[in-house]
């Protein structure tokens, strides 16, 4: 599946750097299960972030050289919601990705209010293999929590959004949701379409609109340039506090503090977002470039929940708010 999309070299490279759980290797005869498709999507999105984020690439290569593969915990993306409508041709906010993730075997685990950011996060956890297939943390920014100037700028930026899913792709997602698997040919058709959804689907933004968004919300400004690409991917590690100290000693741009959940069981830190050069249109319609925050890489330690005897798969609103700051700090 990977080779058909990214070629044999990049597929082998990604699989050498990710610990793919053996449990996802179940599929019906001549078919691909929803779990297998979900894991394949995660590997593809990880590979895309690896190419875009030099700091993550440096860390991952150092770990691979030492014989360690990344255990993916979750990936995160940001969306935007206008009151009462979609975003151009794209369904509004989290809805644009629920229609992809639910057929892949995911279910909503919990919502996480992010009031300081004017956002809400939603965790999607795999129904069949919740401990092993990476979760998705999908956040949406609520335009109606900002002023009219912000809403007007957001409308101009995101109103041109296109829907990357064709009628055929939506039909395949419906079929996958109904029976839990696709033929290899159907899976090969669907995967590139859903990977394309994790990208920027709106036109090049006007710099003036970007500046209006950024003045009120660094998160909205990030979506304006990066769209729905992976904001970050996350490795599950044994001791994030010890790792953070090691990263600082090695000169990595890691955030100053480790975030700890209210439960005391979820511990997170991250690299600061790598800067990227993005194109804008100025007031005369000409293309200009500006360096803006890009994506980043995160680390998480999940302790055992004594109530269940299993690792705690929850997220935490305070942790998420603190982690999101790494894209503001790079601005």
């Amino acid at each position: 599946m990977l080779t058909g999309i990214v070629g044999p070299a990049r597929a082998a490279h990604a699989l050498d750097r990710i610990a793919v759980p053996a449990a996802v290797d179940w599929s019906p005869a001549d078919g691909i299960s929803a779990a297998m498709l979900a894991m394949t999507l995660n590997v593809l999105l990880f590979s895309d972030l690896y190419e875009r984020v030099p700091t993550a690439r440096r860390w991952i290569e150092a770990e691979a050289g030492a014989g360690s593969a990344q255990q993916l915990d979750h990936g995160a993306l940001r969306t935007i919601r206008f009151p009462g409508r979609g975003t151009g041709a794209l369904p509004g906010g989290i809805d644009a990705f629920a229609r992809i993730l639910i057929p892949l075997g995911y279910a909503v685990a919990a919502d996480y209010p992010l009031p300081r950011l004017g956002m809400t996060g939603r965790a999607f956890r795999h129904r069949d293999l919740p401990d092993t297939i990476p979760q998705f943390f999908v956040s949406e920014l609520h335009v109606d929590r900002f002023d009219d100037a912000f809403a007007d700028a957001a409308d101009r930026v995101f109103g041109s959004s296109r829907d990357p899913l064709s009628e055929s792709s939506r039909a395949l997602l419906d079929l996958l949701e109904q029976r839990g698997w696709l033929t290899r040919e159907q899976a090969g058709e669907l995967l590139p379409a859903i990977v394309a959804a994790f990208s920027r689907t709106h036109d090049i933004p006007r710099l003036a609109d970007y500046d209006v968004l950024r003045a009120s919300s660094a998160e909205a400004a990030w979506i304006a340039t990066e769209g729905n690409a992976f904001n970050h991917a996350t490795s599950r590690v044994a001791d994030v506090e010890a790792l953070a100290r090691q990263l600082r000693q090695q000169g990595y741009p890691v955030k100053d503090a480790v975030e700890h959940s209210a439960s005391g069981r979820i511990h997170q830190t991250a690299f600061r977002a790598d800067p990227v050069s993005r194109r804008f249109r100025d007031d005369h319609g000409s293309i200009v470039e500006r360096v803006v925050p890009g994506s980043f890489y995160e680390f998480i330690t999940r302790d055992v929940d004594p109530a269940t005897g299993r690792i705690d798969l929850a997220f935490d609103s305070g942790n998420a708010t603190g982690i999101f700051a790494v894209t503001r700090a790079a601005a």
Side-chain angles (χ1 to χ4, degrees):
M1 295 301 301
L2 291 169
T3 297
I5 297 172
V6 298
R10 188 166 163 185
H13 181 274
L15 291 174
D16 280 344
R17 284 150 181 79
I18 297 172
V20 178
V24 305
D25 198 26
W26 176 87
S27 282
D30 298 321
I32 303 294
S33 67
M36 178 73 82
L37 278 166
M39 192 67 211
T40 306
L41 174 63
N42 276 282
V43 174
L44 288 165
L45 296 174
F46 169 93
S47 182
D48 173 66
L49 185 134
Y50 173 95
E51 296 294 330
R52 294 186 289 110
V53 183
T55 303
R57 190 161 60 245
R58 174 188 165 198
W59 161 258
I60 292 162
E61 286 305 305
E63 288 291 283
S68 296
Q70 305 300 304
Q71 182 181 3
L72 299 186
D73 181 88
H74 70 274
L77 59 146
R78 298 173 176 179
T79 69
I80 192 159
R81 182 179 290 280
F82 289 82
R85 62 183 176 88
T87 310
L90 198 63
I94 288 169
D95 297 348
F97 291 90
R99 62 183 181 157
I100 294 171
L101 296 175
I102 290 172
L104 288 172
Y106 285 90
V108 175
D111 285 350
Y112 296 90
L114 306 171
R116 286 169 48 194
L117 307 178
M119 304 179 80
T120 300
R122 181 168 295 167
F124 288 83
R125 188 178 300 164
H126 206 272
R127 293 189 301 268
D128 297 330
L129 298 168
D131 294 346
T132 52
I133 292 182
Q135 295 186 75
F136 281 82
F137 189 86
V138 186
S139 58
E140 68 178 24
L141 185 139
H142 305 285
V143 173
D144 57 356
R145 298 186 188 177
F146 298 84
D147 62 22
D148 290 344
F150 180 97
D152 290 343
D155 194 41
R156 289 190 292 270
V157 170
F158 301 107
S160 63
S161 296
R162 298 167 293 279
D163 188 348
L165 296 185
S166 65
E167 185 176 341
S168 173
S169 298
R170 292 192 294 271
L172 287 172
L173 284 167
D174 289 343
L175 179 62
L176 178 62
E177 185 172 6
Q178 291 166 16
R179 71 182 186 189
W181 62 275
L182 295 176
T183 67
R184 291 183 180 274
E185 292 75 16
Q186 290 168 334
E189 178 185 344
L190 179 61
L191 263 176
I194 58 178
V195 168
F198 294 81
S199 64
R200 199 196 80 210
T201 62
H202 56 269
D203 294 342
I204 296 172
R206 290 176 61 243
L207 184 57
D209 291 330
Y210 173 83
D211 285 337
V212 170
L213 297 178
R214 183 171 175 263
S216 295
S217 169
E219 289 71 35
W222 193 94
I223 304 167
T225 62
E226 310 307 296
N228 306 124
F230 252 18
N231 173 254
H232 63 270
T234 306
S235 279
R236 192 181 298 171
V237 299
D239 186 344
V240 77
E241 286 274 11
L243 177 60
R245 291 192 294 270
Q246 174 191 330
L247 293 170
R248 291 190 193 98
Q249 292 170 359
Q250 294 175 341
Y252 282 94
V254 66
K255 70 188 297 291
D256 294 335
V258 172
E259 305 290 337
H260 302 282
S261 66
S263 71
R265 294 189 293 270
I266 313 300
H267 318 278
Q268 294 166 265
T269 196
F271 294 137
R272 299 189 185 279
D274 281 344
V276 292
S277 181
R278 293 291 182 254
R279 298 191 300 165
F280 299 87
R281 292 197 181 276
D282 65 15
D283 291 340
H284 306 290
S286 299
I287 296 294
V288 296
E289 292 195 6
R290 178 185 283 189
V291 175
V292 300
S295 296
F296 62 94
Y297 203 71
E298 182 190 36
F299 305 93
I300 191 168
T301 296
R302 296 185 178 276
D303 295 337
V304 171
D305 182 348
T308 65
R310 304 176 71 174
I311 62 168
D312 192 337
L313 294 173
F315 292 91
D316 181 86
S317 293
N319 280 19
T321 300
I323 291 293
F324 274 30
V326 302
T327 54
R328 295 197 298 275

